[in-house]
Amino acid sequence: MTPEQLQSLRFTLRSPRRLKTEALAGLVVALALIPEAIAFSVIAGVDPRIGLFASFTMAVTTAIVGGRPAMISAATGAVALVIAPVMKDHGINYLIATVILAGIFQIVLAVLGVTRLMRFIPRSVMIGFVNALAILVFMAQMPELIGVPWMVYPIVALGLLIVFGLPRITTAVPAPLVAVVALTIVTVLAGIRVPTVHDKGELPNSLPGFFLPNVPLTWDTFQTIAPFALSMALVGLLESLMTAKLVDDITDTRSNKTRVSWGQGIANIVTGFLGGLGGCAVIGQTMINVKGSGARSRVSTFLAGAFLLVLVVVLGDVVGMIPMAALVAVMIFVSLITFDWHSIRAATLRRLPKSETGVMLVTVAVVVATHNLAIGVGAGVLTAMVLFARRVAHFATVERSELALNGRTVASYRVDGELFFASSNDLYTQFDYAKDSSEGIDHVVIDFHASHIWDASTVAVLDSVSEKYRRHGREVELVGLNAASIRMRERLAGKLNAG
């Protein structure tokens, strides 16, 4: 840990009030992790205990080595979807080997500086990511609200009343924890028969043990699991880095994104060798921890994992009595406070450029359609790049003038704007070749003082312009190129066009 992080941790441990907040936040998160870990295990096709152990080991490990205090890592749906085919086609040993290899890939990617790519994610994509996540969290609760006993609905309504109303009275205890405890007591004492955590799957009754995957250490094995491991590594890193950035914004603090990346890798390696499913940052539970419960340190993350293990191994019978309706109410609360409502207000939409709104909507639509945050973010970034290139392409202009120079008539073209593949494609058509080939024009000058050459596409276009003038008997002089543009042109001129 850095000196600042150690100082923050010491402050938390020495402050009873702060420690209470972190401990209660960890308990709420642990309760919220149980049904989701079980659900993700079902998606991956493994025993629920594998998902629960993964949530425990991911949380505890990232609390120690991760780069973002208060961020929760656990088994996730995105990771489960990516590696589910490995379990289906090759079994548990290959799945665990995939998790371990994904962790190694994440460490390698962190060392290679993959975190620097975060700077290319626009704000509109980030807002789309947050809004899509809120929608997915809400949609994930629908199966618990359809085809269930009618008493589920008043329990959910009472839970929402508690989580939204209690903070107006007191913040001494996290409202989600009060909701879960109160609704469990009510349903048990009143004998109300509604779906419970126990109905989701069997909880473990022992601690996780060391697991060495029984797979051949051969190139064939690597070829089999590497594509899935790389996909898991990329999806996990993207979700973790986006979640870390979101927590940075909420808490007005900065985190070490490189450490976030290799911390996730270490956590997946540890999880794999303990027979867990693997995972990454879970934004829903992170929002419960940071926004719903006010946690700010690694203590809450560590305790979330520790409480989870105690709850499922030691207090499994008690946890099994928790009504799913109580947890549904908490997750609906998380989705509502996570959604950026300001982004869809009429006044905001009127002020924002339509392209920004479009990028946000594309991100949301793709995430909701695919249930994959990584694919949605990729689509949003690609859309933003295309719209930006299209917009910037119109900024490059060419102005023609004629002037007398040393008794000669010169056609001078002033190029203004950034020249790259999108803007330079039209450059070829903006010269008056016929007029400049008349007897009155002796020389053609293209002035780049107000421009810059960024790529090979522009160099190729300039070669084509020069060649066309040469066929008309006129030589072209390029002036005003800056040092970087000169170097690119010297390196590529005459080497890009066929013939």
Side-chain angles (χ1 to χ4, degrees):
M1 295 185 189
T2 64
E4 294 80 6
Q5 290 168 339
L6 283 171
Q7 184 177 357
S8 174
L9 182 59
R10 290 192 192 102
F11 171 77
T12 300
L13 295 175
R14 292 173 182 173
S15 170
R17 184 176 181 181
R18 186 73 250 170
L19 185 58
K20 183 196 75 171
T21 299
E22 300 290 321
L24 292 177
L27 180 56
V28 177
V29 170
L31 291 170
L33 282 172
I34 294 171
E36 291 205 357
I38 296 173
F40 299 149
S41 299
V42 173
I43 292 174
V46 299
D47 189 291
R49 288 172 289 191
I50 293 178
L52 288 165
F53 286 152
S55 294
F56 155 65
T57 55
M58 289 293 298
V60 169
T61 307
T62 53
I64 298 170
V65 302
R68 173 63 261 181
M71 186 172 79
I72 304 297
S73 291
T76 61
V79 167
L81 284 170
V82 168
I83 61 176
V86 180
M87 180 64 190
K88 180 181 178 182
D89 297 335
H90 304 284
I92 187 65
N93 284 285
Y94 276 80
L95 181 137
I96 298 301
T98 303
V99 171
I100 295 170
L101 183 59
I104 295 172
F105 281 154
Q106 287 176 329
I107 294 174
V108 172
L109 290 170
V111 172
L112 294 176
V114 71
T115 56
R116 287 194 290 269
L117 296 177
M118 283 296 293
R119 71 184 67 176
F120 297 107
I121 297 180
R123 178 179 177 275
S124 52
V125 174
M126 188 68 189
I127 293 173
F129 167 82
V130 171
N131 290 346
L133 174 77
I135 293 171
L136 286 184
V137 171
F138 185 84
M139 289 174 59
Q141 312 315 310
M142 291 302 100
E144 305 298 334
L145 296 173
I146 298 174
V148 294
W150 71 270
M151 277 301 298
V152 166
Y153 304 109
I155 292 174
V156 171
L158 180 57
L160 290 172
L161 182 64
I162 294 172
V163 292
F164 280 107
L166 184 62
R168 298 176 183 272
I169 301 172
T170 179
T171 57
V173 181
L177 178 60
V178 174
V180 171
V181 173
L183 294 176
T184 302
I185 292 173
V186 168
T187 54
V188 171
L189 294 181
I192 301 173
R193 297 182 63 83
V194 291
T196 63
V197 170
H198 182 74
D199 297 326
K200 301 296 291 184
E202 184 182 354
L203 300 179
N205 54 16
S206 62
L207 297 175
F210 181 76
F211 186 96
L212 185 64
N214 184 20
V215 297
L217 298 178
T218 63
W219 178 247
D220 287 340
T221 300
F222 180 81
Q223 286 182 307
T224 299
I225 66 175
F228 298 100
L230 183 59
S231 296
M232 175 182 166
L234 293 173
V235 168
L237 282 186
L238 182 58
E239 292 203 25
S240 298
L241 291 171
M242 295 285 281
T243 303
K245 189 175 186 301
L246 180 60
V247 177
D248 289 352
D249 294 340
I250 293 172
T251 61
D252 293 324
T253 58
R254 296 181 63 184
S255 59
N256 186 331
K257 302 303 187 297
T258 299
R259 183 170 174 179
V260 168
S261 300
W262 61 254
Q264 293 294 320
I266 292 174
N268 274 309
I269 293 172
V270 171
T271 298
F273 281 120
L274 289 176
L277 181 61
C280 62
V282 279
I283 195 165
Q285 278 70 18
T286 298
M287 289 300 99
I288 292 176
N289 197 44
V290 175
K291 211 167 184 179
S293 304
R296 292 293 182 270
S297 79
R298 299 171 184 274
V299 174
S300 59
T301 308
F302 181 87
L303 290 179
F307 283 146
L308 174 63
L309 188 65
V310 172
L311 287 172
V312 299
V313 174
V314 180
L315 301 175
D317 292 338
V318 176
V319 171
M321 293 188 292
I322 296 175
M324 286 302 300
L327 298 174
V328 167
V330 171
M331 297 311 293
I332 291 176
F333 164 72
V334 168
S335 69
L336 293 176
I337 65 173
T338 300
F339 195 92
D340 188 344
W341 297 100
H342 177 75
S343 66
I344 60 170
R345 289 177 183 168
T348 304
L349 295 176
R350 281 196 300 269
R351 291 192 200 100
L352 277 177
K354 288 184 174 59
S355 60
E356 297 280 324
T357 303
V359 169
M360 180 191 73
L361 293 176
V362 166
T363 305
V364 171
V366 175
V367 170
V368 172
T370 64
H371 283 232
N372 190 310
L373 292 166
I375 294 175
V377 169
V381 171
L382 181 61
T383 303
M385 290 170 60
V386 171
L387 293 177
F388 175 77
R390 183 172 178 270
R391 190 164 61 247
V392 173
H394 298 297
F395 291 159
T397 59
V398 177
E399 293 183 7
R400 183 185 185 279
S401 62
E402 293 184 13
L403 51 93
L405 186 65
N406 299 326
R408 306 166 67 193
T409 302
V410 175
S412 177
Y413 290 87
R414 176 183 172 84
V415 181
D416 191 347
E418 304 302 308
L419 296 176
F420 63 111
F421 64 90
S423 58
S424 61
N425 282 337
D426 294 333
L427 189 65
Y428 182 81
T429 64
Q430 297 189 50
F431 297 91
D432 197 338
Y433 303 100
K435 188 173 183 178
D436 295 339
S437 300
S438 66
E439 294 182 0
I441 301 297
D442 299 308
H443 193 56
V444 177
V445 174
I446 305 177
D447 184 358
F448 291 92
H449 278 97
S451 186
H452 182 93
I453 296 175
W454 285 104
D455 61 6
S457 295
T458 304
V459 175
V461 168
L462 293 178
D463 284 350
S464 298
V465 171
S466 298
E467 178 60 28
K468 185 158 188 175
Y469 271 117
R470 194 172 295 115
R471 290 199 298 268
H472 284 82
R474 297 290 183 271
E475 289 298 321
V476 175
E477 181 182 1
L478 306 183
V479 300
L481 290 169
N482 57 35
S485 298
I486 290 173
R487 286 195 299 270
M488 178 167 288
R489 179 162 169 74
E490 287 178 345
R491 188 169 66 251
L492 299 175
K495 302 174 182 177
L496 298 172
N497 294 325

